[in-house]
């Protein structure tokens, strides 16, 4: 049968904890911020990750956003709840990244920025 993403995450978290791993990365692929079903699924995935992680663990959940969308990207950041930060992609391709300030003001700080397509092109975002 078809398994939901939340079940896969829950099982993955259990397995990672049992094997002593200190990190797990869950990639949920693209989700449109105007899809109620997608928003609901992401909420279930985050809930499963929180339930499956040890109480002492730090859980970071980052939303990956395309900078080219400008203020529309900021709208997407407001729709999804429960994330501890975001990664902005394609920052090198646009002059519309000013919305990053409003994301942080709304409680979704920018952690990393994508400055290209290469392996070393993901940079830590610094406000200075």
């Amino acid at each position: 049968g078809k398994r939901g993403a939340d079940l896969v995450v829950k099982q993955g978290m259990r397995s990672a904890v049992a094997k002593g791993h200190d990190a797990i990365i869950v990639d949920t692929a693209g989700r449109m911020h105007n899809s109620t079903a997608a928003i609901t699924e992401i909420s279930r995935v985050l809930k499963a990750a929180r339930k499956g992680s040890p109480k002492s663990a730090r859980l970071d959940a980052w939303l990956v956003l395309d900078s080219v969308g400008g203020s529309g990207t900021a709208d997407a950041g407001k729709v999804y709840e429960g994330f501890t930060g975001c990664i902005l992609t394609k920052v090198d391709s646009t002059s519309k990244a000013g919305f990053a300030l409003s994301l942080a003001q709304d409680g979704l700080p920018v952690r990393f920025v994508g400055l290209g397509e290469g392996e070393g092109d993901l940079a830590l975002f610094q406000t200075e």
Side-chain angles (χ1 to χ4, degrees), residues 69-84:
S71 62
T73 302
D75 293 341
K78 293 175 187 173
V79 169
Y80 291 105
E81 295 178 358
F83 287 90
T84 57

Side-chain angles (χ1 to χ4, degrees), residues 3 14 21 33 39 41 50 55 60 67 77 82 117 122:
R3 296 189 312 169
R14 278 193 199 137
H21 295 293
H33 68 281
I39 294 167
E41 183 178 35
R50 286 188 176 87
K55 301 288 181 227
D60 282 321
S67 295
E117 297 181 15
L122 190 62

